[in-house]
Amino acid sequence: ANSPMPEGGFKLPQNMDEAKALARKSGAFIQEQFVAAKEAGLFSYFKEFFTDIAMPLPLEKLKDKTTMQQLVLVQYPDHEQGFIVGVAGTVWLESLGALFNFLFGASPAYVIFEIVYALLVAYVLYFMVTKSPVAKHAEYALYLFVFYTVLNAWETFTSLIFILPALFIGCKTICSAICSAYTYNIMKKKKGAVPLEDVEIAQ
């Protein structure tokens, strides 16, 4: 598949025709990735996802100081499980944030939207990293996690004058950074193990 990224790096369109061409190319690229993901089982792991989000590790391990230290320092031997813990933490924090918004006046519809959106995004990334046999999917997920980590880090910095929001966003930053690190490790493993023809589905 053709990537919307032109050779030599991304370039902003200089006129409307270039913008339209980039939009068409990006749309085709996204459609191709969706088809590849669907063929790889995109809609087959909802039950596993919700089970993993609800309890990413046995309770005794979540209470174990050594285990938690390994997870945070990206030293947990099972990289996929470490990634799942990071994703679960992100989802729970996003949901908690939505509930706080409700307490401060957000409408129930908006809160539901926030939670559903967080779950959908998390599911797609969960699939791309842990379930998809296409190594490129893990690579795309890594880019998204790095972007999300930088965004959260910036939000943390700009909210330092407010202690609780800064702590909350800081926790999200840590979770997304953990996801980024484990995704990188999983991506390297997949690129070494996945047959070339599978990897090239997304290229």
Side-chain angles (χ1 to χ4, degrees):
N2 293 325
S3 168
M5 184 77 73
E7 292 184 9
F10 179 79
K11 295 180 181 178
L12 289 173
Q14 301 300 311
N15 52 55
M16 186 58 68
D17 289 337
E18 289 185 6
K20 289 180 179 178
L22 179 61
R24 285 194 298 270
K25 195 171 184 180
S26 298
F29 175 76
I30 292 171
Q31 184 177 8
E32 289 171 0
Q33 297 310 307
F34 176 78
V35 171
K38 185 178 178 181
E39 291 176 352
L42 175 62
F43 301 109
S44 303
Y45 301 99
F46 287 107
K47 184 177 180 180
E48 289 182 46
F49 169 73
F50 284 109
T51 300
D52 285 338
I53 293 302
M55 185 60 68
L57 282 176
L59 191 57
E60 57 270 19
K61 284 193 174 184
L62 291 174
K63 291 180 178 179
D64 182 65
K65 182 179 178 181
T66 301
T67 299
M68 296 310 296
Q69 185 177 22
Q70 287 179 329
L71 286 166
V72 172
L73 297 177
V74 198
Q75 296 174 347
Y76 197 69
D78 186 338
H79 293 161
E80 285 195 3
Q81 202 62 49
F83 168 81
I84 289 169
V85 172
V87 170
T90 301
V91 170
W92 281 106
L93 286 168
E94 291 288 358
S95 300
L96 184 62
L99 293 176
F100 273 122
N101 288 338
F102 175 71
L103 293 177
F104 286 100
S107 68
Y110 179 74
V111 171
I112 292 171
F113 170 79
E114 276 194 295
I115 294 174
V116 171
Y117 178 76
L119 286 169
L120 287 175
V121 171
Y123 175 77
V124 172
L125 293 170
Y126 168 89
F127 166 79
M128 291 170 73
V129 176
T130 66
K131 302 301 180 184
S132 174
V134 182
K136 272 288 184 181
H137 287 168
E139 184 177 339
Y140 298 146
L142 176 62
Y143 297 151
L144 292 172
F145 275 121
V146 170
F147 173 77
Y148 187 59
T149 301
V150 172
L151 183 64
N152 278 329
W154 174 251
E155 282 191 83
T156 302
F157 177 76
T158 56
S159 62
L160 285 176
I161 57 173
F162 305 106
I163 297 175
L164 286 179
L167 286 174
F168 177 75
I169 300 171
C171 288
K172 289 202 299 180
T173 304
I174 292 171
C175 285
S176 55
I178 290 171
C179 289
S180 299
Y182 281 115
T183 298
Y184 177 73
N185 290 333
I186 294 168
M187 180 190 71
K188 288 197 302 181
K189 182 179 178 181
K190 282 189 173 185
K191 282 192 171 182
V194 177
L196 184 60
E197 60 268 21
D198 289 338
V199 176
E200 289 179 342
I201 290 175
Q203 292 181 339

